[in-house]
Amino acid sequence: MDYSVLDFGAAGDGAADDTAAIQAAIDACASAGGGRVVLPGGKTFRSGMLRLRSNLELHLEMGAVLKGSDRLSDYRPPEGAAPEKMAVPSYENCEYAGRPTHFFLYARDCEDLAITGFGRIDGNEEIFYGEATRWHIEGSFYPRAPLLFLENVSRLTIRQVTLTASAFWTVHLVGCRDVLIDTIRILNNLRMANCDGIDPDHCQNVRIANCHIECADDCIVFKNTAGAMRYGPCENITVSNCTLTSTSAAIKFGSESEDVFRNIVVENCVISRSNRGISLQLRDGGRMENILFHNIAIETRLFHPDMFWGSAEPIAVTALRRKTETALGSIRNVRFSSILCDSENGILLYGERPGAVSDIVFDGVSLRLRRATDYEKGFHDLRPASDASGTDRTVCYVYAQGASGVAFRDCRFHADADMEKLLERPGRFIQCGDLHMEGGRGLC
């Protein structure tokens, strides 16, 4: 059965506060045992926090817009904690336990939930602005309101909708199981800090397919935050046929890494105009293992040397302590196959201690170094970390430190003429053991 929000008093004129009417439609649908709540096309509905329910499909018809309220108080639940302004910019320190103080679309302890349709959900990012520059917009407080915060949801589907102007993580999935995200668009401001695309956090059995994502920081990022340990590891996940643009990393693991990441496959994707391509960023006590990247085209360039993590590395695998007292986990058994990299920097492998990064295979990886900006070259970004913020400056195809069991099979490395003049050595390997190179050319 359909429940039109107009029948519950929504105006849909882009000015009136439709929060109560939309929530009434949601509650009526759930009370009746389930159905579809419809936002009709051609109308703009303004709303604060909405709580979704089980056995419900929120459907936005073509031309329908659900836009966030202009009042910050409309996103804060009665029991919510007061927001805080960070003492330093988020690119220096953005520790986050996993639960925000404000919400827009929110669900918890639900099953059989869907968000569908060719309409648009707009997070109204401007009301969350703090300091802004031509490269970067810092939020006025941290953490801000995610567009979707969905916790402990089973059998979740998000299909076709466009999600835009998020001021924080756009789709934050916490402890969700059996998730399908298909054919959605996420179009965020490439200057807005922390507006990740899709963040599966302690989630299992997730499929992300056929999506286009543009955002700052990361497009698709797997998390294991400290506040959600009860939901178990992040595992059994596939990402396929997506196009991604990011001012940090298009595909990222971490940096929140308190539990295990395993059995994750990313394939048939295109990464363009990004500050970093693929980043495995272990900073806590968890493990990353049994991960496969296959058939991916990566194009990177340096966006800014400080304001976003990453220095145009097409692939970065790093394991460092977040704090001096951190008991660091490990990254192992990772495969990169049939990867084409067109980049302003080389591949980075970095383990702070022996065994932290091991059993990494590059099979059929091609890397072309080319200049895209006038920024100084050869620096590799290690943030966040307890000590070092980055490596020394060395222009090379592969910079590796503290990694073991690394194999290069049939890989190709090339530098354009202006980058070849800066190339100090093909590869720099520091305290690396059990290194294998088979076939290919350009690294030795």
Side-chain angles (χ1 to χ4, degrees):
M1 181 175 175
D2 285 355
Y3 296 77
S4 172
V5 298
L6 298 179
D7 295 337
F8 291 80
D13 61 3
D17 181 356
D18 290 325
T19 308
I22 299 171
Q23 189 65 61
I26 290 170
D27 294 344
C29 180
S31 296
R36 187 168 75 157
V37 174
V38 179
L39 276 64
K43 295 184 177 296
T44 297
F45 302 89
R46 302 300 298 269
S47 178
M49 174 183 163
L50 296 169
R51 182 155 189 165
L52 305 178
R53 310 290 187 186
S54 293
N55 304 309
L56 182 141
E57 177 185 354
L58 179 67
H59 182 78
L60 289 84
E61 292 183 344
M62 180 73 79
V65 178
L66 176 60
K67 185 169 183 176
S69 167
D70 288 331
R71 296 185 299 269
L72 285 174
S73 59
D74 290 345
Y75 300 88
R76 185 175 168 189
E79 70 278 11
E84 297 182 1
K85 180 176 175 57
M86 294 185 66
V88 297
S90 61
Y91 53 83
E92 292 186 16
N93 182 12
C94 60
E95 294 181 27
Y96 179 42
R99 191 165 188 85
T101 59
H102 290 62
F103 301 86
F104 187 14
L105 297 187
Y106 172 66
R108 184 176 182 182
D109 303 331
C110 294
E111 59 184 16
D112 298 308
L113 174 64
I115 301 170
T116 68
F118 287 105
R120 177 161 51 96
I121 303 176
D122 185 322
N124 198 14
E125 59 165 323
E126 293 89 348
I127 66 169
F128 296 92
Y129 281 6
E131 182 180 348
T133 72
R134 59 178 292 193
W135 303 281
H136 180 268
I137 299 171
E138 190 62 65
S140 56
F141 60 92
Y142 184 97
R144 298 176 293 282
L147 204 70
L148 307 178
F149 186 90
L150 309 175
E151 181 178 358
N152 192 26
V153 179
S154 296
R155 298 182 297 279
L156 169 67
T157 300
I158 306 173
R159 192 192 297 272
Q160 299 172 335
V161 294
T162 294
L163 309 176
T164 188
S166 182
F168 199 62
W169 298 1
T170 309
V171 181
H172 187 185
L173 310 173
V174 183
C176 295
R177 298 160 301 281
D178 187 0
V179 177
L180 174 63
I181 302 177
D182 187 18
T183 329
I184 74 166
R185 297 172 177 87
I186 297 177
L187 305 174
N188 286 338
N189 189 336
L190 288 173
R191 294 189 299 142
M192 185 68 198
N194 317 119
C195 65
D196 295 357
I198 302 171
D199 294 66
D201 183 358
H202 292 277
C203 292
Q204 298 90 42
N205 304 324
V206 178
R207 293 89 70 208
I208 301 170
N210 309 311
C211 298
H212 176 68
I213 304 174
E214 299 180 13
C215 62
D217 296 333
D218 312 298
C219 291
I220 299 173
V221 48
F222 306 103
K223 303 281 190 182
N224 277 316
T225 55
M229 292 292 286
R230 61 192 177 280
Y231 294 120
C234 203
E235 64 181 351
N236 304 336
I237 298 172
T238 64
V239 177
S240 60
N241 305 322
C242 293
T243 50
L244 310 169
T245 295
S246 167
T247 42
S248 192
I251 299 286
K252 191 172 93 172
F253 291 62
S255 65
E256 294 85 356
S257 45
E258 297 285 357
D259 208 326
V260 178
F261 304 79
R262 64 182 165 222
N263 302 337
I264 299 175
V265 176
V266 181
E267 63 179 355
N268 302 334
C269 292
V270 175
I271 297 168
S272 65
R273 299 181 294 116
S274 291
N275 195 40
R276 185 179 263 171
I278 297 168
S279 178
L280 277 65
Q281 201 172 58
L282 184 80
R283 295 297 182 271
D284 303 302
R287 300 192 312 276
M288 299 179 185
E289 60 190 15
N290 302 342
I291 301 167
L292 174 63
F293 301 92
H294 179 65
N295 277 5
I296 301 173
I298 300 173
E299 175 196 85
T300 64
R301 49 148 294 179
L302 186 59
F303 271 74
H304 191 277
D306 299 314
M307 292 183 173
F308 289 100
W309 290 347
S311 298
E313 301 94 343
I315 297 170
V317 180
T318 60
L320 298 98
R321 289 171 297 163
R322 185 184 302 277
K323 300 178 180 178
T324 54
E325 64 271 22
T326 299
L328 186 66
S330 62
I331 302 174
R332 64 189 185 192
N333 197 22
V334 182
R335 301 291 185 269
F336 299 91
S337 67
S338 300
I339 313 287
L340 300 178
C341 306
D342 187 290
S343 175
E344 201 171 17
N345 207 346
I347 293 168
L348 172 65
L349 305 174
Y350 197 104
E352 186 183 80
R353 62 165 177 78
V357 175
S358 64
D359 190 18
I360 312 295
V361 175
F362 297 88
D363 188 353
V365 174
S366 175
L367 170 62
R368 171 199 171 201
L369 285 182
R370 53 96 182 93
R371 179 185 291 275
T373 70
D374 292 330
Y375 293 123
E376 191 175 356
K377 304 296 183 285
F379 177 80
H380 295 275
D381 193 354
L382 298 177
R383 294 176 295 176
S386 60
D387 295 320
S389 61
T391 67
D392 57 5
R393 291 192 180 275
T394 303
V395 177
C396 54
Y397 297 124
V398 177
Y399 188 110
Q401 180 167 334
S404 62
V406 180
F408 295 89
R409 300 171 181 162
D410 194 25
C411 295
R412 300 289 189 272
F413 301 91
H414 166 76
D416 287 359
D418 55 350
M419 289 293 285
E420 190 172 21
K421 295 176 184 177
L422 303 175
L423 194 68
E424 299 177 38
R425 64 188 78 183
R428 183 169 185 184
F429 299 91
I430 303 168
Q431 298 176 336
C432 293
D434 194 19
L435 179 67
H436 299 275
M437 300 184 189
E438 305 170 13
R441 58 183 175 82
L443 191 57
C444 297

